[in-house]
Amino acid sequence: VMQLVESGGGLVQPGGSLRLSCAASGFTFIEYNMNWVRQAPGKALEWVGTINMDGETTDYANSVKGRFTISRDNAKNTVTLQMNSLKTEDTAVYYCATHPSCSHPPCRGQGTQVTVSS
């Protein structure tokens, strides 16, 4: 069965960095583009970015472009979101997902909370 498990969230000050990881299992990871999406309290699900199957191409939302970087390791079935220069508006639950509009498991994990606050 498809399973995605995110980790690495926490509390960070504005301007700080965090690195989120997602471990995938139960499906052929290399056959999927992988996405990060986020949801802040009271707000709609927001697509953050996508990495293609071989990791050669990435695309990002304008709100995170230049600050966030997605990478993947197909040998380890993992995808990573490096977040730099964090802002308070980046506060949200972050999910890795097999498609950008995924709203619940199993196409996404349970999420990891990122809080940016001084």
Side-chain angles (χ1 to χ4, degrees), residues 10 12-18 20 37-41 43 46 48 61-65 67-68 81-94 112-117:
V12 62
Q13 292 186 340
S17 297
L18 276 178
L20 306 184
V37 297
R38 67 186 181 184
Q39 190 160 25
K43 294 190 176 181
E46 179 186 14
V48 173
N62 287 337
S63 58
V64 307
K65 198 170 293 183
R67 300 188 297 121
F68 290 11
L81 179 65
Q82 177 68 44
M83 306 186 294
N84 299 327
S85 303
L86 282 160
K87 305 176 181 180
T88 55
E89 52 263 43
D90 294 318
T91 295
V93 179
Y94 284 72
T112 187
Q113 175 71 49
V114 171
T115 303
V116 185
S117 175

PDB file of all heavy atoms in Angstrom, residues 10 12-18 20 37-41 43 46 48 61-65 67-68 81-94 112-117:
ATOM      1  N   GLY A  10       9.197  21.780  12.619  1.00  0.00           N
ATOM      2  CA  GLY A  10       9.496  22.329  13.940  1.00  0.00           C
ATOM      3  C   GLY A  10       9.266  23.815  13.984  1.00  0.00           C
ATOM      4  O   GLY A  10       8.651  24.395  13.084  1.00  0.00           O
ATOM      5  N   VAL A  12      10.902  27.539  14.059  1.00  0.00           N
ATOM      6  CA  VAL A  12      12.100  28.245  13.598  1.00  0.00           C
ATOM      7  C   VAL A  12      11.811  29.733  13.554  1.00  0.00           C
ATOM      8  O   VAL A  12      10.658  30.147  13.328  1.00  0.00           O
ATOM      9  CB  VAL A  12      12.541  27.708  12.219  1.00  0.00           C
ATOM     10  CG1 VAL A  12      11.488  27.940  11.165  1.00  0.00           C
ATOM     11  CG2 VAL A  12      13.888  28.271  11.804  1.00  0.00           C
ATOM     12  N   GLN A  13      12.833  30.543  13.768  1.00  0.00           N
ATOM     13  CA  GLN A  13      12.663  31.990  13.708  1.00  0.00           C
ATOM     14  C   GLN A  13      12.634  32.467  12.255  1.00  0.00           C
ATOM     15  O   GLN A  13      13.200  31.819  11.362  1.00  0.00           O
ATOM     16  CB  GLN A  13      13.807  32.678  14.456  1.00  0.00           C
ATOM     17  CG  GLN A  13      13.775  32.448  15.953  1.00  0.00           C
ATOM     18  CD  GLN A  13      14.841  33.254  16.669  1.00  0.00           C
ATOM     19  OE1 GLN A  13      15.818  33.699  16.079  1.00  0.00           O
ATOM     20  NE2 GLN A  13      14.638  33.466  17.975  1.00  0.00           N
ATOM     21  N   PRO A  14      12.011  33.596  12.016  1.00  0.00           N
ATOM     22  CA  PRO A  14      12.055  34.167  10.660  1.00  0.00           C
ATOM     23  C   PRO A  14      13.493  34.325  10.189  1.00  0.00           C
ATOM     24  O   PRO A  14      14.374  34.725  10.952  1.00  0.00           O
ATOM     25  CB  PRO A  14      11.375  35.529  10.838  1.00  0.00           C
ATOM     26  CG  PRO A  14      10.442  35.328  11.990  1.00  0.00           C
ATOM     27  CD  PRO A  14      11.155  34.388  12.917  1.00  0.00           C
ATOM     28  N   GLY A  15      13.713  33.980   8.929  1.00  0.00           N
ATOM     29  CA  GLY A  15      15.057  33.994   8.377  1.00  0.00           C
ATOM     30  C   GLY A  15      15.815  32.692   8.529  1.00  0.00           C
ATOM     31  O   GLY A  15      16.879  32.517   7.926  1.00  0.00           O
ATOM     32  N   GLY A  16      15.268  31.784   9.309  1.00  0.00           N
ATOM     33  CA  GLY A  16      15.938  30.512   9.547  1.00  0.00           C
ATOM     34  C   GLY A  16      15.667  29.495   8.457  1.00  0.00           C
ATOM     35  O   GLY A  16      15.034  29.788   7.433  1.00  0.00           O
ATOM     36  N   SER A  17      16.165  28.287   8.690  1.00  0.00           N
ATOM     37  CA  SER A  17      16.055  27.209   7.718  1.00  0.00           C
ATOM     38  C   SER A  17      15.537  25.935   8.370  1.00  0.00           C
ATOM     39  O   SER A  17      15.743  25.709   9.575  1.00  0.00           O
ATOM     40  CB  SER A  17      17.427  26.910   7.098  1.00  0.00           C
ATOM     41  OG  SER A  17      17.929  28.015   6.390  1.00  0.00           O
ATOM     42  N   LEU A  18      14.896  25.122   7.560  1.00  0.00           N
ATOM     43  CA  LEU A  18      14.487  23.777   7.959  1.00  0.00           C
ATOM     44  C   LEU A  18      14.609  22.870   6.756  1.00  0.00           C
ATOM     45  O   LEU A  18      14.474  23.321   5.610  1.00  0.00           O
ATOM     46  CB  LEU A  18      13.029  23.752   8.444  1.00  0.00           C
ATOM     47  CG  LEU A  18      12.712  24.108   9.882  1.00  0.00           C
ATOM     48  CD1 LEU A  18      11.207  24.066  10.100  1.00  0.00           C
ATOM     49  CD2 LEU A  18      13.410  23.181  10.862  1.00  0.00           C
ATOM     50  N   LEU A  20      12.902  19.384   5.403  1.00  0.00           N
ATOM     51  CA  LEU A  20      11.875  18.362   5.548  1.00  0.00           C
ATOM     52  C   LEU A  20      12.226  17.153   4.691  1.00  0.00           C
ATOM     53  O   LEU A  20      12.758  17.301   3.590  1.00  0.00           O
ATOM     54  CB  LEU A  20      10.515  18.900   5.118  1.00  0.00           C
ATOM     55  CG  LEU A  20      10.037  20.197   5.772  1.00  0.00           C
ATOM     56  CD1 LEU A  20       8.627  20.523   5.305  1.00  0.00           C
ATOM     57  CD2 LEU A  20      10.114  20.114   7.281  1.00  0.00           C
ATOM     58  N   VAL A  37       3.147  20.086  -0.777  1.00  0.00           N
ATOM     59  CA  VAL A  37       2.017  20.991  -0.644  1.00  0.00           C
ATOM     60  C   VAL A  37       1.945  21.394   0.816  1.00  0.00           C
ATOM     61  O   VAL A  37       2.544  20.749   1.685  1.00  0.00           O
ATOM     62  CB  VAL A  37       0.692  20.335  -1.107  1.00  0.00           C
ATOM     63  CG1 VAL A  37       0.771  19.986  -2.591  1.00  0.00           C
ATOM     64  CG2 VAL A  37       0.371  19.102  -0.283  1.00  0.00           C
ATOM     65  N   ARG A  38       1.223  22.458   1.111  1.00  0.00           N
ATOM     66  CA  ARG A  38       1.098  22.916   2.494  1.00  0.00           C
ATOM     67  C   ARG A  38      -0.285  23.468   2.740  1.00  0.00           C
ATOM     68  O   ARG A  38      -0.975  23.878   1.818  1.00  0.00           O
ATOM     69  CB  ARG A  38       2.169  23.949   2.827  1.00  0.00           C
ATOM     70  CG  ARG A  38       2.016  25.282   2.079  1.00  0.00           C
ATOM     71  CD  ARG A  38       3.207  26.179   2.380  1.00  0.00           C
ATOM     72  NE  ARG A  38       3.084  27.472   1.702  1.00  0.00           N
ATOM     73  CZ  ARG A  38       4.017  28.423   1.715  1.00  0.00           C
ATOM     74  NH1 ARG A  38       5.163  28.220   2.371  1.00  0.00           N
ATOM     75  NH2 ARG A  38       3.817  29.560   1.078  1.00  0.00           N
ATOM     76  N   GLN A  39      -0.648  23.470   3.996  1.00  0.00           N
ATOM     77  CA  GLN A  39      -1.934  24.025   4.382  1.00  0.00           C
ATOM     78  C   GLN A  39      -1.792  24.770   5.696  1.00  0.00           C
ATOM     79  O   GLN A  39      -1.441  24.173   6.717  1.00  0.00           O
ATOM     80  CB  GLN A  39      -3.003  22.950   4.482  1.00  0.00           C
ATOM     81  CG  GLN A  39      -4.405  23.508   4.634  1.00  0.00           C
ATOM     82  CD  GLN A  39      -5.469  22.510   4.245  1.00  0.00           C
ATOM     83  OE1 GLN A  39      -5.268  21.301   4.292  1.00  0.00           O
ATOM     84  NE2 GLN A  39      -6.620  23.013   3.844  1.00  0.00           N
ATOM     85  N   ALA A  40      -2.075  26.045   5.646  1.00  0.00           N
ATOM     86  CA  ALA A  40      -2.069  26.874   6.844  1.00  0.00           C
ATOM     87  C   ALA A  40      -3.459  26.858   7.467  1.00  0.00           C
ATOM     88  O   ALA A  40      -4.455  26.607   6.771  1.00  0.00           O
ATOM     89  CB  ALA A  40      -1.661  28.297   6.493  1.00  0.00           C
ATOM     90  N   PRO A  41      -3.559  27.123   8.763  1.00  0.00           N
ATOM     91  CA  PRO A  41      -4.866  27.103   9.431  1.00  0.00           C
ATOM     92  C   PRO A  41      -5.866  28.021   8.740  1.00  0.00           C
ATOM     93  O   PRO A  41      -5.559  29.195   8.485  1.00  0.00           O
ATOM     94  CB  PRO A  41      -4.538  27.591  10.843  1.00  0.00           C
ATOM     95  CG  PRO A  41      -3.104  27.268  11.036  1.00  0.00           C
ATOM     96  CD  PRO A  41      -2.457  27.421   9.705  1.00  0.00           C
ATOM     97  N   LYS A  43      -6.826  28.086   5.756  1.00  0.00           N
ATOM     98  CA  LYS A  43      -6.536  28.415   4.365  1.00  0.00           C
ATOM     99  C   LYS A  43      -6.604  27.163   3.494  1.00  0.00           C
ATOM    100  O   LYS A  43      -6.555  26.039   3.982  1.00  0.00           O
ATOM    101  CB  LYS A  43      -5.166  29.066   4.240  1.00  0.00           C
ATOM    102  CG  LYS A  43      -5.076  30.424   4.921  1.00  0.00           C
ATOM    103  CD  LYS A  43      -3.781  31.135   4.575  1.00  0.00           C
ATOM    104  CE  LYS A  43      -3.743  32.521   5.181  1.00  0.00           C
ATOM    105  NZ  LYS A  43      -2.487  33.241   4.828  1.00  0.00           N
ATOM    106  N   GLU A  46      -2.143  24.604  -0.556  1.00  0.00           N
ATOM    107  CA  GLU A  46      -1.305  25.369  -1.470  1.00  0.00           C
ATOM    108  C   GLU A  46      -0.197  24.477  -2.005  1.00  0.00           C
ATOM    109  O   GLU A  46       0.553  23.869  -1.227  1.00  0.00           O
ATOM    110  CB  GLU A  46      -0.697  26.583  -0.768  1.00  0.00           C
ATOM    111  CG  GLU A  46       0.224  27.415  -1.655  1.00  0.00           C
ATOM    112  CD  GLU A  46       0.926  28.533  -0.907  1.00  0.00           C
ATOM    113  OE1 GLU A  46       0.927  28.522   0.340  1.00  0.00           O
ATOM    114  OE2 GLU A  46       1.495  29.419  -1.576  1.00  0.00           O
ATOM    115  N   VAL A  48       3.387  23.795  -3.264  1.00  0.00           N
ATOM    116  CA  VAL A  48       4.679  24.414  -2.992  1.00  0.00           C
ATOM    117  C   VAL A  48       5.652  24.179  -4.153  1.00  0.00           C
ATOM    118  O   VAL A  48       6.315  25.097  -4.614  1.00  0.00           O
ATOM    119  CB  VAL A  48       5.273  23.859  -1.683  1.00  0.00           C
ATOM    120  CG1 VAL A  48       6.702  24.369  -1.472  1.00  0.00           C
ATOM    121  CG2 VAL A  48       4.391  24.234  -0.497  1.00  0.00           C
ATOM    122  N   ALA A  61       6.148  27.252  -6.566  1.00  0.00           N
ATOM    123  CA  ALA A  61       5.227  28.364  -6.444  1.00  0.00           C
ATOM    124  C   ALA A  61       6.017  29.658  -6.325  1.00  0.00           C
ATOM    125  O   ALA A  61       7.104  29.688  -5.759  1.00  0.00           O
ATOM    126  CB  ALA A  61       4.339  28.167  -5.219  1.00  0.00           C
ATOM    127  N   ASN A  62       5.437  30.729  -6.840  1.00  0.00           N
ATOM    128  CA  ASN A  62       6.128  32.020  -6.769  1.00  0.00           C
ATOM    129  C   ASN A  62       6.439  32.418  -5.333  1.00  0.00           C
ATOM    130  O   ASN A  62       7.446  33.081  -5.071  1.00  0.00           O
ATOM    131  CB  ASN A  62       5.277  33.091  -7.435  1.00  0.00           C
ATOM    132  CG  ASN A  62       5.259  32.974  -8.947  1.00  0.00           C
ATOM    133  OD1 ASN A  62       6.168  32.406  -9.550  1.00  0.00           O
ATOM    134  ND2 ASN A  62       4.216  33.495  -9.565  1.00  0.00           N
ATOM    135  N   SER A  63       5.581  32.010  -4.414  1.00  0.00           N
ATOM    136  CA  SER A  63       5.740  32.410  -3.014  1.00  0.00           C
ATOM    137  C   SER A  63       6.991  31.812  -2.362  1.00  0.00           C
ATOM    138  O   SER A  63       7.451  32.316  -1.337  1.00  0.00           O
ATOM    139  CB  SER A  63       4.506  32.010  -2.213  1.00  0.00           C
ATOM    140  OG  SER A  63       4.289  30.608  -2.311  1.00  0.00           O
ATOM    141  N   VAL A  64       7.547  30.747  -2.948  1.00  0.00           N
ATOM    142  CA  VAL A  64       8.712  30.096  -2.339  1.00  0.00           C
ATOM    143  C   VAL A  64       9.915  30.066  -3.272  1.00  0.00           C
ATOM    144  O   VAL A  64      11.006  29.649  -2.865  1.00  0.00           O
ATOM    145  CB  VAL A  64       8.382  28.656  -1.886  1.00  0.00           C
ATOM    146  CG1 VAL A  64       7.161  28.652  -0.987  1.00  0.00           C
ATOM    147  CG2 VAL A  64       8.190  27.718  -3.062  1.00  0.00           C
ATOM    148  N   LYS A  65       9.742  30.497  -4.497  1.00  0.00           N
ATOM    149  CA  LYS A  65      10.807  30.419  -5.493  1.00  0.00           C
ATOM    150  C   LYS A  65      12.036  31.198  -5.017  1.00  0.00           C
ATOM    151  O   LYS A  65      11.929  32.322  -4.524  1.00  0.00           O
ATOM    152  CB  LYS A  65      10.312  30.962  -6.827  1.00  0.00           C
ATOM    153  CG  LYS A  65      11.136  30.571  -8.029  1.00  0.00           C
ATOM    154  CD  LYS A  65      10.423  30.948  -9.325  1.00  0.00           C
ATOM    155  CE  LYS A  65       9.173  30.147  -9.542  1.00  0.00           C
ATOM    156  NZ  LYS A  65       8.511  30.444 -10.831  1.00  0.00           N
ATOM    157  N   ARG A  67      13.801  30.402  -2.477  1.00  0.00           N
ATOM    158  CA  ARG A  67      14.030  30.122  -1.046  1.00  0.00           C
ATOM    159  C   ARG A  67      13.965  28.623  -0.747  1.00  0.00           C
ATOM    160  O   ARG A  67      14.655  28.153   0.161  1.00  0.00           O
ATOM    161  CB  ARG A  67      12.979  30.848  -0.200  1.00  0.00           C
ATOM    162  CG  ARG A  67      12.988  32.346  -0.354  1.00  0.00           C
ATOM    163  CD  ARG A  67      12.053  33.015   0.646  1.00  0.00           C
ATOM    164  NE  ARG A  67      10.659  32.633   0.460  1.00  0.00           N
ATOM    165  CZ  ARG A  67       9.910  32.045   1.408  1.00  0.00           C
ATOM    166  NH1 ARG A  67      10.428  31.782   2.600  1.00  0.00           N
ATOM    167  NH2 ARG A  67       8.640  31.754   1.162  1.00  0.00           N
ATOM    168  N   PHE A  68      13.132  27.905  -1.479  1.00  0.00           N
ATOM    169  CA  PHE A  68      12.930  26.469  -1.229  1.00  0.00           C
ATOM    170  C   PHE A  68      13.552  25.666  -2.366  1.00  0.00           C
ATOM    171  O   PHE A  68      13.541  26.085  -3.526  1.00  0.00           O
ATOM    172  CB  PHE A  68      11.447  26.139  -1.158  1.00  0.00           C
ATOM    173  CG  PHE A  68      10.721  26.657   0.057  1.00  0.00           C
ATOM    174  CD1 PHE A  68      11.288  27.570   0.930  1.00  0.00           C
ATOM    175  CD2 PHE A  68       9.439  26.199   0.346  1.00  0.00           C
ATOM    176  CE1 PHE A  68      10.613  28.033   2.050  1.00  0.00           C
ATOM    177  CE2 PHE A  68       8.734  26.636   1.455  1.00  0.00           C
ATOM    178  CZ  PHE A  68       9.322  27.575   2.309  1.00  0.00           C
ATOM    179  N   LEU A  81      12.653  18.670   1.110  1.00  0.00           N
ATOM    180  CA  LEU A  81      12.348  20.085   0.889  1.00  0.00           C
ATOM    181  C   LEU A  81      13.265  20.902   1.780  1.00  0.00           C
ATOM    182  O   LEU A  81      13.110  20.881   3.002  1.00  0.00           O
ATOM    183  CB  LEU A  81      10.880  20.383   1.211  1.00  0.00           C
ATOM    184  CG  LEU A  81      10.445  21.833   1.048  1.00  0.00           C
ATOM    185  CD1 LEU A  81      10.531  22.279  -0.413  1.00  0.00           C
ATOM    186  CD2 LEU A  81       9.018  22.034   1.578  1.00  0.00           C
ATOM    187  N   GLN A  82      14.212  21.585   1.179  1.00  0.00           N
ATOM    188  CA  GLN A  82      15.092  22.499   1.920  1.00  0.00           C
ATOM    189  C   GLN A  82      14.462  23.881   1.895  1.00  0.00           C
ATOM    190  O   GLN A  82      14.207  24.426   0.809  1.00  0.00           O
ATOM    191  CB  GLN A  82      16.478  22.528   1.278  1.00  0.00           C
ATOM    192  CG  GLN A  82      17.432  23.516   1.934  1.00  0.00           C
ATOM    193  CD  GLN A  82      17.815  23.117   3.340  1.00  0.00           C
ATOM    194  OE1 GLN A  82      18.101  21.964   3.617  1.00  0.00           O
ATOM    195  NE2 GLN A  82      17.814  24.087   4.250  1.00  0.00           N
ATOM    196  N   MET A  83      14.215  24.417   3.064  1.00  0.00           N
ATOM    197  CA  MET A  83      13.548  25.711   3.178  1.00  0.00           C
ATOM    198  C   MET A  83      14.491  26.702   3.841  1.00  0.00           C
ATOM    199  O   MET A  83      14.905  26.494   4.988  1.00  0.00           O
ATOM    200  CB  MET A  83      12.265  25.574   3.994  1.00  0.00           C
ATOM    201  CG  MET A  83      11.315  24.505   3.464  1.00  0.00           C
ATOM    202  SD  MET A  83       9.739  24.469   4.335  1.00  0.00           S
ATOM    203  CE  MET A  83      10.296  23.941   5.945  1.00  0.00           C
ATOM    204  N   ASN A  84      14.812  27.757   3.139  1.00  0.00           N
ATOM    205  CA  ASN A  84      15.685  28.807   3.645  1.00  0.00           C
ATOM    206  C   ASN A  84      14.931  30.126   3.707  1.00  0.00           C
ATOM    207  O   ASN A  84      13.864  30.278   3.090  1.00  0.00           O
ATOM    208  CB  ASN A  84      16.912  28.949   2.752  1.00  0.00           C
ATOM    209  CG  ASN A  84      17.754  27.685   2.687  1.00  0.00           C
ATOM    210  OD1 ASN A  84      17.840  26.931   3.661  1.00  0.00           O
ATOM    211  ND2 ASN A  84      18.380  27.448   1.560  1.00  0.00           N
ATOM    212  N   SER A  85      15.494  31.060   4.427  1.00  0.00           N
ATOM    213  CA  SER A  85      14.896  32.405   4.536  1.00  0.00           C
ATOM    214  C   SER A  85      13.409  32.319   4.861  1.00  0.00           C
ATOM    215  O   SER A  85      12.569  32.976   4.225  1.00  0.00           O
ATOM    216  CB  SER A  85      15.116  33.185   3.235  1.00  0.00           C
ATOM    217  OG  SER A  85      16.480  33.283   2.923  1.00  0.00           O
ATOM    218  N   LEU A  86      13.095  31.540   5.848  1.00  0.00           N
ATOM    219  CA  LEU A  86      11.696  31.293   6.171  1.00  0.00           C
ATOM    220  C   LEU A  86      11.008  32.555   6.672  1.00  0.00           C
ATOM    221  O   LEU A  86      11.613  33.401   7.345  1.00  0.00           O
ATOM    222  CB  LEU A  86      11.584  30.174   7.202  1.00  0.00           C
ATOM    223  CG  LEU A  86      11.754  28.775   6.599  1.00  0.00           C
ATOM    224  CD1 LEU A  86      12.120  27.753   7.683  1.00  0.00           C
ATOM    225  CD2 LEU A  86      10.483  28.349   5.878  1.00  0.00           C
ATOM    226  N   LYS A  87       9.727  32.658   6.325  1.00  0.00           N
ATOM    227  CA  LYS A  87       8.897  33.795   6.707  1.00  0.00           C
ATOM    228  C   LYS A  87       7.738  33.295   7.565  1.00  0.00           C
ATOM    229  O   LYS A  87       7.368  32.120   7.496  1.00  0.00           O
ATOM    230  CB  LYS A  87       8.352  34.476   5.453  1.00  0.00           C
ATOM    231  CG  LYS A  87       9.406  34.900   4.443  1.00  0.00           C
ATOM    232  CD  LYS A  87       8.754  35.474   3.193  1.00  0.00           C
ATOM    233  CE  LYS A  87       9.799  35.887   2.152  1.00  0.00           C
ATOM    234  NZ  LYS A  87       9.160  36.456   0.942  1.00  0.00           N
ATOM    235  N   THR A  88       7.133  34.207   8.309  1.00  0.00           N
ATOM    236  CA  THR A  88       6.008  33.803   9.147  1.00  0.00           C
ATOM    237  C   THR A  88       4.884  33.207   8.293  1.00  0.00           C
ATOM    238  O   THR A  88       4.182  32.292   8.737  1.00  0.00           O
ATOM    239  CB  THR A  88       5.479  34.985   9.961  1.00  0.00           C
ATOM    240  OG1 THR A  88       5.151  36.058   9.062  1.00  0.00           O
ATOM    241  CG2 THR A  88       6.527  35.463  10.960  1.00  0.00           C
ATOM    242  N   GLU A  89       4.742  33.690   7.083  1.00  0.00           N
ATOM    243  CA  GLU A  89       3.676  33.188   6.227  1.00  0.00           C
ATOM    244  C   GLU A  89       3.946  31.784   5.670  1.00  0.00           C
ATOM    245  O   GLU A  89       3.103  31.203   4.992  1.00  0.00           O
ATOM    246  CB  GLU A  89       3.388  34.152   5.076  1.00  0.00           C
ATOM    247  CG  GLU A  89       4.603  34.560   4.271  1.00  0.00           C
ATOM    248  CD  GLU A  89       5.172  35.898   4.718  1.00  0.00           C
ATOM    249  OE1 GLU A  89       5.271  36.130   5.954  1.00  0.00           O
ATOM    250  OE2 GLU A  89       5.545  36.704   3.832  1.00  0.00           O
ATOM    251  N   ASP A  90       5.118  31.242   5.952  1.00  0.00           N
ATOM    252  CA  ASP A  90       5.409  29.852   5.589  1.00  0.00           C
ATOM    253  C   ASP A  90       4.877  28.868   6.627  1.00  0.00           C
ATOM    254  O   ASP A  90       4.944  27.658   6.424  1.00  0.00           O
ATOM    255  CB  ASP A  90       6.919  29.638   5.423  1.00  0.00           C
ATOM    256  CG  ASP A  90       7.511  30.405   4.262  1.00  0.00           C
ATOM    257  OD1 ASP A  90       6.876  30.440   3.186  1.00  0.00           O
ATOM    258  OD2 ASP A  90       8.603  30.979   4.439  1.00  0.00           O
ATOM    259  N   THR A  91       4.362  29.375   7.724  1.00  0.00           N
ATOM    260  CA  THR A  91       3.798  28.516   8.757  1.00  0.00           C
ATOM    261  C   THR A  91       2.636  27.710   8.186  1.00  0.00           C
ATOM    262  O   THR A  91       1.680  28.265   7.636  1.00  0.00           O
ATOM    263  CB  THR A  91       3.321  29.351   9.948  1.00  0.00           C
ATOM    264  OG1 THR A  91       4.453  29.980  10.553  1.00  0.00           O
ATOM    265  CG2 THR A  91       2.600  28.487  10.976  1.00  0.00           C
ATOM    266  N   ALA A  92       2.725  26.397   8.311  1.00  0.00           N
ATOM    267  CA  ALA A  92       1.708  25.507   7.748  1.00  0.00           C
ATOM    268  C   ALA A  92       2.069  24.065   8.085  1.00  0.00           C
ATOM    269  O   ALA A  92       3.177  23.798   8.583  1.00  0.00           O
ATOM    270  CB  ALA A  92       1.631  25.661   6.230  1.00  0.00           C
ATOM    271  N   VAL A  93       1.147  23.175   7.804  1.00  0.00           N
ATOM    272  CA  VAL A  93       1.464  21.754   7.785  1.00  0.00           C
ATOM    273  C   VAL A  93       1.919  21.420   6.362  1.00  0.00           C
ATOM    274  O   VAL A  93       1.225  21.751   5.387  1.00  0.00           O
ATOM    275  CB  VAL A  93       0.261  20.887   8.184  1.00  0.00           C
ATOM    276  CG1 VAL A  93       0.638  19.403   8.113  1.00  0.00           C
ATOM    277  CG2 VAL A  93      -0.218  21.247   9.584  1.00  0.00           C
ATOM    278  N   TYR A  94       3.074  20.783   6.268  1.00  0.00           N
ATOM    279  CA  TYR A  94       3.660  20.449   4.976  1.00  0.00           C
ATOM    280  C   TYR A  94       3.501  18.959   4.700  1.00  0.00           C
ATOM    281  O   TYR A  94       3.736  18.114   5.581  1.00  0.00           O
ATOM    282  CB  TYR A  94       5.142  20.820   4.969  1.00  0.00           C
ATOM    283  CG  TYR A  94       5.366  22.302   4.817  1.00  0.00           C
ATOM    284  CD1 TYR A  94       5.093  23.174   5.860  1.00  0.00           C
ATOM    285  CD2 TYR A  94       5.848  22.840   3.627  1.00  0.00           C
ATOM    286  CE1 TYR A  94       5.282  24.540   5.721  1.00  0.00           C
ATOM    287  CE2 TYR A  94       6.046  24.205   3.473  1.00  0.00           C
ATOM    288  CZ  TYR A  94       5.761  25.043   4.527  1.00  0.00           C
ATOM    289  OH  TYR A  94       5.951  26.398   4.374  1.00  0.00           O
ATOM    290  N   THR A 112       3.859  17.340   8.375  1.00  0.00           N
ATOM    291  CA  THR A 112       4.749  17.789   9.442  1.00  0.00           C
ATOM    292  C   THR A 112       4.557  19.290   9.612  1.00  0.00           C
ATOM    293  O   THR A 112       4.497  20.038   8.640  1.00  0.00           O
ATOM    294  CB  THR A 112       6.213  17.414   9.137  1.00  0.00           C
ATOM    295  OG1 THR A 112       7.032  17.724  10.262  1.00  0.00           O
ATOM    296  CG2 THR A 112       6.754  18.107   7.901  1.00  0.00           C
ATOM    297  N   GLN A 113       4.436  19.713  10.874  1.00  0.00           N
ATOM    298  CA  GLN A 113       4.132  21.114  11.174  1.00  0.00           C
ATOM    299  C   GLN A 113       5.403  21.960  11.100  1.00  0.00           C
ATOM    300  O   GLN A 113       6.424  21.623  11.704  1.00  0.00           O
ATOM    301  CB  GLN A 113       3.525  21.241  12.572  1.00  0.00           C
ATOM    302  CG  GLN A 113       3.280  22.664  13.035  1.00  0.00           C
ATOM    303  CD  GLN A 113       2.139  23.326  12.294  1.00  0.00           C
ATOM    304  OE1 GLN A 113       1.058  22.762  12.160  1.00  0.00           O
ATOM    305  NE2 GLN A 113       2.369  24.547  11.815  1.00  0.00           N
ATOM    306  N   VAL A 114       5.296  23.058  10.383  1.00  0.00           N
ATOM    307  CA  VAL A 114       6.359  24.058  10.348  1.00  0.00           C
ATOM    308  C   VAL A 114       5.784  25.360  10.900  1.00  0.00           C
ATOM    309  O   VAL A 114       4.765  25.848  10.404  1.00  0.00           O
ATOM    310  CB  VAL A 114       6.881  24.274   8.915  1.00  0.00           C
ATOM    311  CG1 VAL A 114       7.834  25.460   8.854  1.00  0.00           C
ATOM    312  CG2 VAL A 114       7.570  23.012   8.403  1.00  0.00           C
ATOM    313  N   THR A 115       6.420  25.869  11.934  1.00  0.00           N
ATOM    314  CA  THR A 115       5.997  27.125  12.539  1.00  0.00           C
ATOM    315  C   THR A 115       7.157  28.105  12.487  1.00  0.00           C
ATOM    316  O   THR A 115       8.237  27.815  13.004  1.00  0.00           O
ATOM    317  CB  THR A 115       5.541  26.918  13.986  1.00  0.00           C
ATOM    318  OG1 THR A 115       4.478  25.957  14.021  1.00  0.00           O
ATOM    319  CG2 THR A 115       5.068  28.226  14.596  1.00  0.00           C
ATOM    320  N   VAL A 116       6.909  29.241  11.859  1.00  0.00           N
ATOM    321  CA  VAL A 116       7.930  30.283  11.757  1.00  0.00           C
ATOM    322  C   VAL A 116       7.472  31.450  12.620  1.00  0.00           C
ATOM    323  O   VAL A 116       6.477  32.110  12.317  1.00  0.00           O
ATOM    324  CB  VAL A 116       8.137  30.732  10.304  1.00  0.00           C
ATOM    325  CG1 VAL A 116       9.291  31.724  10.221  1.00  0.00           C
ATOM    326  CG2 VAL A 116       8.404  29.530   9.407  1.00  0.00           C
ATOM    327  N   SER A 117       8.197  31.672  13.689  1.00  0.00           N
ATOM    328  CA  SER A 117       7.782  32.685  14.651  1.00  0.00           C
ATOM    329  C   SER A 117       8.976  33.144  15.476  1.00  0.00           C
ATOM    330  O   SER A 117       9.873  32.350  15.764  1.00  0.00           O
ATOM    331  CB  SER A 117       6.701  32.125  15.583  1.00  0.00           C
ATOM    332  OG  SER A 117       6.370  33.050  16.593  1.00  0.00           O
TER     333      SER A 117
END
